[in-house]
């Protein structure tokens, strides 16, 4: 069946297998329909099967059964009592027509699809149909009988979408869907933005505003605690400074006392000396002695006190010396850092060793790659050496060949004797001479052997094959005449037939289960294959499977098939030259006896030749192995040298890293001495006496104790919520920007969609109103929307008036009569007809229920509109026609009849029918 576009002529065929028909009436076994390019009037009494054509169009174009409103399973559309049926439709397409084939299986409701004679999926058919703008699910394009009443039940929104798809530009419905999606997203963004602003953001700000006072009090308390911490750290420092100053005073007093003591000693020295002289001269009195003793004790006590003071001062001096030693260590650390930096600078002045290390690594990788290549080549050579040891393989082939020869000798000893003579005397012949076919044919799969062996007679399987005829005659003289042996010999065709193509490509037969031709199942020398193609046509004998067996009645109808194989049977097909009748014979395929053992004679010959040259090649391999071993030793030596150099360079690079690590450590120490400088600066802002420090400590502690009931969690929660507020504000801004962008997109999409849509509706309204005016009625079509921004609520509103005394009323399933609804539906579809967006339209029995006046008026409108050259193809199905209707030359009338005595389509003679009709009416 061909359905196409606009001003072209199309033919349409609906055909089924001889025993099945997928249609609702299911009357015919086989039918063909050839529609015209314009209006096609399909006429027939109720029950004749007119709707079968509608069903066939729908099902073959991948339509759903729900579109038809009849059976819900596709298997129900197959003729009762049949297992399967098929439909084929040809669609016009620029650049080459499209042929769609659908085979329906009633038992499992499965379908086989083919597109242009290639098996495909239903999805591929749906895409091809969509590309041609065919919409069988759109009531504005495809209106089956059971769906006529549903047209008036369509909502305004549904009617708009169906109209957009049917006659609108391809992008119109896409723009509409895009607009609806944009509007839904806009709503989501509006709701989301309002919800976040009112419910989350504002509440978060309010909570943080309430907690802000507590946070400020927390930080105020923390400032007091920080001051307390500094005061507690400075107090020991103040005590140290006080002691240090006292030490300095004591040291001065000590030094002054030393000077006074020295001065006294110097002043009293002459007197002491004189006293000592007098004491020597005079005996002291007891009173003088006591007085002297008391003076000595007093002087000793003073000396002890002075010594204790000196000890305390010494301790303080030692502490000061320790402080000075600390300062010295700081100075030494800084000098060490400078020294390390200088040493690092010297190391840094040397060239960077990293590129050299990378180069060494690259050399090492290259050596590894070369070593891998050498090992790989050595492995290849070892395998090649093993492969050259061909004796076992050749022995195995000889054993298999011997087995085949034993079978030949057991079956036909003369042929075996002639074979031995040929092997000893091959030099006598000028052309190619081949041993018996059964020895040189090599079946690719042992399962295929039975087909080859059943197809070629044993008489030829044991025959010798010659390239030249004179060689064959010489051979026969020797073995037949002289040796008295009974042998067969054949001569290959002078022109090779081995590459002769088959009559049909195997792909075109795959739907019947055929998977290959017989020639592809075995290998043979060219002359042997040429003879088999010429004599047995092995290139043109297809081999199938169980599917072929199940479809054999259909298969034998195929032209060009004369011999074929299924899994277990051989079929021979003959077609009578005179009557064209087909006769077939079949026989069982017997198991193979000779060809299951496969030995490639050419491979055997090559093995024997390889063994002759193999020994010298083995010596070459051994020499190459030695050379590769020397190369490997040299690579190992170079590898060791490079590893040693890499070690030296790595140590040099490691020294630089060690210096950098030491500098980092010393710098950390220096930084710590600087936690000290900053602390000293902070101490300078605090009191310098112990009394002042203690007073300030007490004051700060009292203030800090005033801040009760505060927790660090309050601050953490405050800071966390501040981050959330910032994040929400950012997201809100992004959504606001996205909302503005969506509104801009909506505005642009609305302009792209709405303006062409309004123009389209105006065109439809113009045609629709004109049709109604021609019937002395009124009707109009407009674009209806309650809210201009709600794009999913837009719809097409049809309003009609059939009586002069009434007003325009919206078309509904309830207000108008059935005939008025049919008229309105038909005229709306005709208004769409001239807009030419879809390739064809189908309307089934829409004139049911119309009164004769309206039916005639509608028919005239249909003829005028659908027969224009600019309109698309139209199918109008009706069970009846009024008399004296106006017809056009562009119309095609398709009459549907049925009955037990109907002629087959190829026996129908239209001229004879017209002639008999005229005679019966006396014309």
């Amino acid at each position: 069946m061909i359905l196409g576009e606009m001003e072209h002529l199309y033919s349409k065929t609906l055909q089924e297998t001889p025993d099945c028909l997928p249609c609702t009436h299911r009357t015919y076994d086989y039918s063909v329909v050839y529609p015209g390019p314009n209006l096609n009037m399909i006429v027939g009494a109720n029950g004749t099967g007119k709707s079968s054509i509608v069903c066939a169009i729908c099902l073959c174009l991948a339509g759903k059964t729900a579109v038809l409103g009849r059976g819900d399973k596709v298997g129900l559309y197959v003729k009762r009592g049949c297992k399967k049926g098929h439909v084929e439709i040809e669609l016009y397409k620029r650049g080459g027509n499209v042929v769609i084939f659908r085979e329906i299986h009633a038992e499992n409701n499965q379908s086989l699809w083919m597109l242009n004679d290639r098996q495909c999926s239903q999805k591929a058919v749906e895409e091809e149909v969509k590309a041609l703008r065919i919409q069988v699910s759109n009531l504005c394009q495809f209106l089956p009988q059971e769906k006529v009443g549903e047209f008036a039940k369509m909502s305004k929104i549904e009617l708009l979408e169906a109209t957009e798809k049917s006659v609108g530009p391809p992008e119109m419905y896409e723009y509409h869907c895009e607009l609806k999606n944009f509007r839904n997203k806009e709503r989501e963004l509006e709701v989301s933005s309002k919800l976040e602003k009112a419910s989350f953001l504002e509440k978060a700000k309010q909570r943080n505003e309430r907690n802000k006072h507590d946070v400020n009090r927390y930080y105020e308390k923390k400032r007091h605690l920080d001051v307390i911490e500094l005061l507690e750290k400075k107090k020991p420092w103040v005590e140290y400074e006080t002691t240090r100053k006292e030490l300095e005073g004591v040291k001065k007093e000590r030094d002054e006392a030393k000077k006074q003591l020295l001065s006294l000693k110097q002043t009293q020295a002459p007197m002491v000396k004189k006293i000592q002289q007098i004491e020597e001269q005079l005996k002291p009195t007891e009173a003088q002695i006591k007085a002297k003793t008391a003076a000595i004790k007093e002087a000793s006590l003073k000396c002890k006190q002075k010594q204790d003071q000196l000890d305390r001062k010494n301790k303080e001096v030692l502490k000061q010396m320790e402080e000075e030693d600390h300062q010295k260590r700081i100075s030494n650390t800084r000098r060490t850092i400078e020294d390390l930096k200088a040493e690092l600078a010297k190391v840094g002045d040397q060239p960077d060793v990293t590129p050299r290390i990378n180069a060494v690594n690259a050399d090492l990788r290259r050596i590894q790659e070369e070593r891998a290549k050498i090992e790989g080549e050595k492995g290849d050579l070892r395998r090649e050496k093993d492969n050259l040891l061909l004796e076992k393989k050749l022995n195995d082939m000889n054993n298999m060949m011997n087995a085949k020869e034993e079978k030949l000798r057991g079956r036909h000893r003369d042929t075996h004797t002639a074979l031995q003579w040929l092997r000893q005397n091959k030099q006598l012949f000028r052309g190619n001479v081949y041993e018996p076919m059964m020895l040189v044919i090599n079946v690719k799969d042992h399962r295929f052997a039975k087909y080859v062996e059943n197809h070629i007679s044993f008489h030829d399987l044991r025959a010798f094959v010659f390239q030249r005829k004179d060689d064959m005659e010489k051979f026969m003289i020797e073995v037949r005449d002289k040796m008295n042996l009974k042998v067969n010999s054949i001569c290959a065709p002078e022109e090779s037939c081995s590459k002769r193509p088959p009559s049909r490509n195997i792909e075109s037969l795959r739907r019947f289960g055929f998977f290959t031709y017989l020639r592809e199942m075995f290998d043979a020398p060219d002359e042997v294959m040429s003879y088999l193609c010429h004599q047995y046509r092995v290139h043109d004998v297809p081999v199938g499977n169980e599917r072929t067996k199940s479809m054999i009645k259909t298969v034998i109808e195929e032209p060009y098939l004369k011999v074929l194989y299924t899994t277990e049977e051989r079929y021979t097909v003959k077609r009578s030259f005179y009557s064209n009748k087909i006769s077939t014979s079949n026989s069982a395929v017997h198991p193979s006896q000779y060809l299951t053992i496969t030995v490639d004679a050419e491979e055997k010959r090559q093995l024997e030749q390889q063994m002759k040259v193999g020994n010298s090649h083995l010596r070459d391999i051994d020499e190459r192995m030695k050379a590769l071993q020397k190369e490997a030793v040299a690579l190992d030596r170079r590898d060791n040298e490079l590893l040693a150099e890499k070690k030296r360079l790595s140590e040099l690079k490691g020294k630089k890293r060690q210096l950098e690590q030491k500098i980092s450590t010393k710098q950390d120490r220096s930084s710590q001495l600087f936690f000290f400088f900053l602390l000293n600066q902070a101490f300078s802002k605090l009191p310098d006496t112990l009394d002042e420090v203690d007073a300030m400590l007490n004051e700060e502690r009292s203030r800090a104790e005033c801040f009760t009931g505060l927790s660090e969690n309050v601050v953490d929660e405050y800071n966390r919520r501040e981050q959330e507020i910032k994040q929400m504000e950012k997201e809100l801004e992004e959504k606001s920007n996205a909302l503005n962008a969506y509104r801009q997109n909506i505005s642009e999409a609305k302009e792209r969609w709405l303006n062409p849509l309004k123009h389209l509706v105006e065109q439809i309204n113009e045609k629709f109103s004109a049709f109604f005016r021609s019937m002395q009625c009124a009707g109009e079509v407009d674009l209806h929307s309650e809210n201009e921004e709600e794009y999913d609520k837009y719809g097409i509103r049809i309003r009609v008036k059939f009586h002069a005394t009434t007003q325009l009323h919206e078309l509904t399933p309830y207000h108008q009569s059935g005939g008025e609804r049919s008229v309105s539906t038909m005229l709306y579809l005709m208004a769409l007809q001239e807009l030419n967006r879809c390739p064809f339209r189908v309307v089934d029995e829409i004139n049911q229920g119309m009164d004769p006046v309206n039916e005639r008026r509608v028919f005239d409108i249909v003829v005028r509109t659908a027969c224009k050259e600019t309109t698309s193809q139209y199918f109008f199905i009706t069970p009846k026609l009024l008399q004296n209707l106006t017809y056009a030359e562009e119309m095609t009338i398709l009459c549907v009849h049925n009955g037990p005595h109907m002629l087959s389509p190829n026996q129908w003679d239209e001229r004879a029918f017209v002639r008999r009709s005229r005679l019966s009416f006396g014309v």
Side-chain angles (χ1 to χ4, degrees), residues 414 477-487:
D414 284 3
I477 290 172
E478 292 293 332
V479 300
R480 183 183 62 189
D481 299 342
K482 294 181 180 180
M483 299 175 64
N484 198 29
L485 297 176
K486 296 179 180 179
V487 296

Side-chain angles (χ1 to χ4, degrees), residues 101-165:
F101 175 90
R102 181 176 189 177
E103 184 177 86
I104 303 171
H105 294 259
E107 184 175 358
N108 55 10
N109 293 296
Q110 298 296 314
S111 295
L112 170 69
W113 293 91
M114 296 188 70
L115 194 61
N116 291 335
D117 292 331
R118 290 182 178 274
Q119 189 167 342
C120 65
S121 64
Q122 181 174 339
K123 182 67 175 177
V125 175
E126 291 173 350
E127 292 176 354
E128 187 68 38
V129 170
K130 182 180 179 182
L132 294 173
R133 296 185 58 81
I134 297 173
Q135 307 164 23
V136 293
S137 60
N138 190 336
L139 295 183
C140 288
Q141 181 175 346
F142 196 91
L143 191 59
Q145 179 180 348
E146 282 71 14
K147 296 290 183 176
V148 171
E150 291 189 12
F151 188 91
K153 296 179 182 178
M154 292 174 67
S155 67
K156 294 185 286 292
I157 297 172
E158 293 172 335
L159 183 58
L160 171 60
E161 293 183 354
T163 303
E164 286 177 322
K165 294 177 183 177

Side-chain angles (χ1 to χ4, degrees), residues 362 364-375 635:
L364 287 172
R365 287 193 298 270
R366 180 180 56 78
I367 289 173
Q368 291 175 356
E369 291 173 357
E370 292 181 2
R371 184 187 287 118
K373 290 180 180 178
I374 290 173
E375 291 299 323
L635 287 175

Side-chain angles (χ1 to χ4, degrees), residues 50 73 78 199-200 231 235 242 263 266 276 374 395 429 502 567 571 574 632 723 775 793 799 919:
K50 301 184 303 302
K73 296 180 180 178
V78 176
S199 177
F200 294 102
L231 287 170
K235 185 174 180 180
T242 303
S263 177
Q266 292 175 350
Q276 289 176 349
I374 290 173
N395 288 336
F429 305 100
T567 306
Y571 285 84
K574 295 183 180 180
Q723 293 298 322
M775 297 177 59
K793 299 296 192 296
R799 296 193 298 168
L919 290 174

Side-chain angles (χ1 to χ4, degrees), residues 800-818:
V800 295
K801 182 178 74 169
F802 287 90
H803 307 286
T805 58
T806 61
Q807 300 295 323
L808 285 170
H809 289 284
E810 186 173 342
L811 181 65
T812 66
Y814 316 106
H815 191 275
Q816 291 82 13
S817 66

Side-chain angles (χ1 to χ4, degrees), residues 202-464:
E202 291 300 324
K203 290 182 179 179
K205 287 183 177 180
Q206 292 172 5
R207 284 197 295 269
N208 260 20
E209 191 63 31
R210 288 195 298 269
N211 293 339
K212 189 173 183 179
H213 178 67
D214 290 340
V215 173
N216 291 336
R217 292 179 66 244
Y218 175 84
Y219 282 122
E220 183 67 23
K221 178 180 179 180
K222 192 173 186 304
R223 281 193 292 272
H224 289 301
L225 294 176
D226 291 341
V227 173
I228 291 171
E229 184 180 2
L230 283 174
L231 287 170
E232 288 176 344
K233 288 180 179 178
K234 186 170 182 180
K235 185 174 180 180
W237 181 262
V238 173
E239 292 175 346
Y240 168 77
E241 284 294 317
T242 303
T243 304
R244 185 179 66 77
K245 290 178 180 178
E246 290 178 354
L247 175 61
E248 290 178 354
V250 171
K251 285 172 67 178
K252 290 180 180 179
E253 291 178 1
R254 182 192 64 182
D255 294 339
E256 187 64 28
K258 284 182 178 180
K259 291 179 181 179
Q260 292 177 1
L261 178 61
L262 181 60
S263 177
L264 289 172
K265 284 182 178 180
Q266 292 175 350
T267 304
Q268 294 177 358
M271 187 177 291
V272 170
K273 186 176 180 181
K274 188 175 181 179
I275 290 173
Q276 289 176 349
Q277 291 175 354
I278 293 172
E279 285 178 347
E280 291 292 331
Q281 294 175 1
L282 300 174
K283 291 182 179 179
T285 62
E286 184 176 356
Q288 290 175 332
I289 293 173
K290 289 181 179 179
K292 189 68 173 180
T293 301
I296 292 172
K297 286 183 178 180
E298 185 178 358
S300 297
L301 180 60
K302 289 183 178 180
C303 286
K304 186 176 184 306
Q305 290 175 347
K306 292 294 183 181
Q307 187 63 44
D308 291 340
Q309 290 179 355
L310 288 174
D311 290 339
R312 287 195 299 272
K313 294 300 182 183
N314 284 335
K315 290 180 180 178
E316 293 173 355
V317 169
L318 288 174
K319 188 173 182 180
Q320 179 66 25
M321 291 174 65
E322 289 177 357
E323 179 64 25
E324 292 174 354
D325 184 61
H326 177 70
Q327 295 293 335
K328 188 181 293 185
R329 286 198 303 273
I330 294 175
S331 178
N332 289 338
T333 300
R334 290 176 177 172
R335 282 197 299 271
T336 302
I337 291 174
E338 295 301 322
D339 294 340
L340 290 172
K341 286 183 176 180
E343 187 176 358
L344 179 62
K346 291 179 181 179
V347 175
D349 291 338
Q350 297 179 359
D352 187 7
V353 297
T354 302
R356 180 56 188 155
I357 292 176
N358 293 336
V360 170
N361 288 333
D363 289 341
L364 287 172
R365 287 193 298 270
R366 180 180 56 78
I367 289 173
Q368 291 175 356
E369 291 173 357
E370 292 181 2
R371 184 187 287 118
K373 290 180 180 178
I374 290 173
E375 291 299 323
E377 186 175 356
K378 287 168 69 176
D380 293 339
L381 290 172
R382 283 192 292 268
R383 285 189 294 272
E384 187 175 358
K385 187 174 181 180
D386 293 339
N387 291 336
L388 288 174
L389 303 176
L390 304 172
E391 292 183 5
K392 182 179 183 304
K393 188 173 182 181
L394 187 60
N395 288 336
D396 292 342
M397 296 184 72
N398 285 332
N399 291 337
M400 295 174 67
M401 184 62 77
N402 290 337
K404 294 184 73 173
E405 291 180 15
E406 285 299 316
K407 285 193 173 185
L408 175 63
R409 184 172 65 175
R411 179 73 182 271
H412 206 278
R413 186 175 294 274
D414 284 3
T415 302
H416 185 268
T417 304
L419 173 64
Q420 303 305 317
W421 181 88
L422 175 63
R423 289 176 177 174
Q424 296 172 4
N425 298 278
K426 271 199 171 181
Q427 72 280 0
L428 299 177
F429 305 100
R430 298 169 61 187
N432 293 333
V433 181
Y434 297 98
E435 297 178 358
M437 283 191 198
M438 63 181 292
L439 300 182
V440 298
I441 288 177
N442 185 41
V443 180
K444 297 178 181 179
D445 189 321
H446 68 89
R447 295 174 298 175
F448 299 159
K450 62 181 182 180
Y451 302 113
V452 181
E453 197 167 316
N454 275 265
H455 197 70
I456 304 171
S457 68
F458 182 73
H459 182 80
D460 279 348
L461 283 176
R462 65 182 179 86
F464 295 85

Side-chain angles (χ1 to χ4, degrees), residues 733-794:
E733 182 180 3
E734 292 175 352
K735 289 183 177 180
S736 178
N737 294 335
L739 181 59
N740 293 333
Y742 263 96
R743 286 171 176 165
Q744 181 63 30
N745 292 336
I746 289 174
S747 177
E748 295 173 358
K750 179 181 179 181
E751 186 175 351
R752 290 195 304 266
W753 170 73
L754 191 56
N755 292 339
L757 177 61
K758 287 181 178 178
H759 179 66
L760 178 65
V761 174
E762 288 173 1
Q763 288 181 299
I764 297 172
N765 178 56
E766 181 181 350
K767 300 292 182 182
F768 187 76
S769 299
F771 291 153
F772 263 82
R773 284 195 301 272
S774 68
M775 297 177 59
Q776 287 80 48
C777 299
E780 67 177 30
V781 176
D782 63 358
L783 187 63
H784 181 265
S785 175
E786 296 177 358
N787 185 342
E788 189 174 348
E789 303 303 323
E790 299 299 329
Y791 304 104
D792 54 349
K793 299 296 192 296
Y794 273 76

